[in-house]
Amino acid sequence: MSDCVAHSVSGQTGTITAVRGSVVDVRFNGPLPAIHSLLRAGSAESVAIEVLAQIDPHHVRGVALTATQGLVRGGAVRDTGGPLQVPVGPDVLGRMFNVFGEPIDGGPSLTTDQRQGVHQPPPSLERRAVRSEVFETGIKIIDVLLPLERGGKAGLFGGAGVGKTVLLTELIQNMIGQHEGISVFCGIGERCREGEELWREMGDAGVRDNMVLVFGQMNEPPGCRVRVGHTALTMAEHFRDERHTDVLLLVDNVFRFIQAGAEVSGLMGQMPSRLGYQPTLATELARLQERIANTDTGAITAIQAVYVPADDFTDPAAVHTFAHLSASMVLSRKRAAEGLYPAVDPLQSSSRMATPGIVGERHYRIARDVRRTLAQYAELRDIIAMLGLEQLSREDRALVGRARRLERFLTQPFATTERFSGVPGRVVSREDALDGCERILQDEFSDVPERSLYMIGSIDEVKRHPTVHTVAADIAEQSVNA
């Protein structure tokens, strides 16, 4: 309301008037706490409440970031006088935190006095850098067809079980060794098992000392899950703006952030929008995404997994997320079923970096020819299924062989899955990946069995292992032929 005072007074107390699940109404006789102010209530002030609305001159409505057990009508509430603040700086490296910046790794408490509010404005336009640089990942299909941008945002889109988390974990292991900077992993609505596995794997890989892990688990209240992304981003921004360091931000999963926002919106009594999403979906997502930027002091490069409900890419959650990204990697259930891992669909995925002015004429030409070959093969697959490969012309049969070899060469064994497959992971430079694609396009390997190109690193491995034979290769070949 217009006559509500929007200035918090630290230490002032209010009284709980209603508790409905995670939503708490509080009455103040003095100035009302500002929007996003943090309130403390309950025994030993263990319940944290964030103000989301001023409903009249004396009442505010907030959502609890913790469980609300023990709250009662008439209970005391203290206004902290500001928003949620989390620790920042070098002391957070090598640790795992919750939404409040409290360690959850079993280690000692932090002693740093450096803290920062989680609600920060995005960098101004004059601070944003306009240069475009490629950010190499060591994964062939991404570096050749979907180059990522330093300081950009890339999304991994896919339904359940197509390999989003595996690909994200592999990107961490590949990039953190060559990435001169800090890495921040944000788990939104994650399973506790996934957090524990990531913590252990990063320790085994020896890269945890340059990482920060922040988790809001799926069993925690929606208020916690909707804010944990802001906590991780605040820590990342400090390294970019104050330490002038490049930051790699990895988010799993943006859909859980949107889902938590829908829960909070419903709890606050807002009318749902299309398909039950919150009416403020676009605004909430933009507040988070616009803070991820390349500035004159450093860059935050973000790679985000995005669950797509029922593989429906017209879902509002997917549509609104697409708009913020510089590269979109769409994971295909069909390719996963064929054993073509990583299951990135090269024809549905895209990157704005794939232009000759950024990646160079040779890279652009090779990527364009690879896409054209795979697209022509996709058009011929129905004919092959109905009439057989023998009914195609000689040129089309050669094109099919070329495309199938490209598909297999663009597969890659991951270090993340080595304990399951027994195949050591590979990291392939962009130049080696381009060289392999170019030589396949020139029919240099037309006399080599297709399976010899399956799950290898650089193209030179074909020469050393011309008779590579795997069960996975047979499955992939049989499923495509079928």
Side-chain angles (χ1 to χ4, degrees):
M1 296 178 65
S2 60
D3 56 348
C4 291
V5 180
H7 299 285
S8 290
V9 178
S10 179
Q12 74 163 329
T13 58
T15 304
I16 295 175
T17 59
V19 180
R20 296 180 298 278
S22 293
V23 174
V24 182
D25 289 353
V26 184
R27 176 182 175 85
F28 287 91
N29 292 323
L32 288 183
I35 302 298
H36 295 152
S37 291
L38 189 69
L39 312 179
R40 288 285 182 177
S43 176
E45 296 189 339
S46 59
V47 179
I49 304 166
E50 185 179 77
V51 176
L52 293 186
Q54 298 174 338
I55 54 180
D56 65 37
H58 297 290
H59 292 83
V60 296
R61 179 168 293 165
V63 63
L65 307 184
T66 55
T68 55
Q69 283 90 340
L71 293 188
V72 295
R73 291 178 62 185
V77 177
R78 181 178 65 87
D79 178 14
T80 63
L84 171 64
Q85 295 195 336
V86 296
V88 294
D91 289 345
V92 304
L93 292 175
R95 304 298 302 273
M96 181 161 58
F97 300 96
N98 61 13
V99 68
F100 301 102
E102 299 168 345
I104 55 174
D105 52 16
S109 300
L110 292 185
T111 57
T112 180
D113 292 328
Q114 284 187 289
R115 302 186 78 85
Q116 196 165 315
V118 300
H119 297 283
Q120 299 292 331
S124 60
L125 286 177
E126 58 265 24
R127 283 193 55 211
R128 294 180 182 247
V130 295
R131 64 184 182 277
S132 294
E133 300 176 28
V134 173
F135 196 81
E136 288 195 27
T137 67
I139 297 176
K140 291 180 286 189
I141 194 168
I142 295 176
D143 288 341
V144 172
L145 299 178
L146 312 163
L148 305 188
E149 179 184 11
R150 175 185 176 270
K153 297 183 278 286
L156 294 172
F157 291 84
V162 294
K164 296 185 300 300
T165 300
V166 170
L167 183 53
L168 196 64
T169 306
E170 184 70 12
L171 283 166
I172 297 172
Q173 295 205 33
N174 284 8
M175 297 162 73
I176 205 168
Q178 60 178 329
H179 174 67
E180 297 180 359
I182 303 301
S183 296
V184 177
F185 181 90
C186 177
I188 305 176
E190 285 289 276
R191 304 169 184 86
C192 60
R193 168 184 57 80
E194 293 173 333
E196 187 275 332
E197 287 176 355
L198 183 65
W199 174 257
R200 182 163 30 84
E201 288 172 3
M202 295 302 102
D204 293 343
V207 298
R208 201 163 59 199
D209 289 343
N210 283 326
M211 283 193 75
V212 183
L213 294 94
V214 186
F215 283 93
Q217 295 172 194
M218 60 169 45
N219 64 310
E220 297 189 87
C224 166
R225 286 179 274 127
V226 85
R227 284 291 169 257
V228 70
H230 296 270
T231 294
L233 198 46
T234 299
M235 294 179 177
E237 285 173 332
H238 176 84
F239 287 107
R240 179 193 66 189
D241 299 335
E242 303 299 328
R243 306 282 169 173
H244 299 177
T245 304
D246 283 359
V247 182
L248 176 62
L249 175 67
L250 303 124
V251 183
D252 190 9
N253 185 305
V254 173
F255 176 77
R256 304 298 178 199
F257 166 78
I258 294 173
Q259 193 176 46
E263 289 185 51
V264 170
S265 175
L267 290 168
M268 294 292 292
Q270 294 179 341
M271 183 72 68
S273 183
R274 190 162 74 93
L275 298 184
Y277 286 103
Q278 63 271 41
T280 55
L281 188 157
T283 302
E284 291 175 5
L285 189 60
R287 281 177 182 159
L288 186 73
Q289 297 285 353
E290 288 303 300
R291 292 169 63 181
I292 303 170
N294 187 0
T295 70
D296 51 4
T297 58
I300 297 178
T301 302
I303 301 176
Q304 310 167 46
V306 185
Y307 168 70
V308 181
D311 293 338
D312 179 12
F313 287 90
T314 64
D315 188 271
V319 170
H320 283 85
T321 306
F322 269 121
H324 293 278
L325 305 176
S326 55
S328 301
M329 292 169 271
V330 177
L331 301 185
S332 162
R333 194 172 303 280
K334 183 177 180 181
R335 288 179 66 84
E338 293 173 357
L340 300 174
Y341 294 104
V344 177
D345 189 328
L347 302 182
Q348 289 192 61
S349 307
S350 63
S351 170
R352 72 178 188 188
M353 300 292 287
T355 62
I358 296 175
V359 298
E361 290 288 347
R362 175 173 177 264
H363 185 158
Y364 177 75
R365 173 179 51 79
I366 294 172
R368 182 193 58 196
D369 291 346
V370 169
R371 282 182 184 275
R372 181 187 296 128
T373 302
L374 295 177
Q376 290 172 335
Y377 174 46
E379 293 174 356
L380 291 171
R381 289 179 74 134
D382 288 341
I383 298 175
I384 296 171
M386 290 185 293
L387 303 178
L389 189 64
E390 298 77 15
Q391 300 303 314
L392 299 180
S393 65
R394 180 179 300 176
E395 293 79 9
D396 284 345
R397 286 201 298 272
L399 182 143
V400 169
R402 209 175 298 133
R404 288 169 62 88
R405 286 174 175 80
L406 281 171
E407 283 186 333
R408 281 146 186 76
F409 176 66
L410 292 175
T411 62
Q412 190 166 339
F414 284 172
T416 306
T417 59
E418 184 176 339
R419 64 182 182 273
F420 305 113
S421 64
V423 181
R426 304 283 200 282
V427 178
V428 183
S429 69
R430 179 166 61 134
E431 190 55 41
D432 284 346
L434 288 170
D435 180 60
C437 291
E438 187 173 41
R439 291 166 68 181
I440 292 171
L441 288 168
Q442 294 170 352
D443 289 333
E444 184 175 333
F445 298 93
S446 59
D447 57 342
V448 173
E450 294 171 5
R451 66 171 62 95
S452 297
L453 287 89
Y454 182 74
M455 286 295 171
I456 63 172
S458 68
I459 198 70
D460 293 334
E461 294 185 31
V462 176
K463 299 291 188 183
R464 292 194 293 271
H465 306 289
T467 58
V468 170
H469 184 86
T470 65
V471 174
D474 281 345
I475 294 172
E477 188 169 354
Q478 290 167 9
S479 62
V480 173
N481 288 336

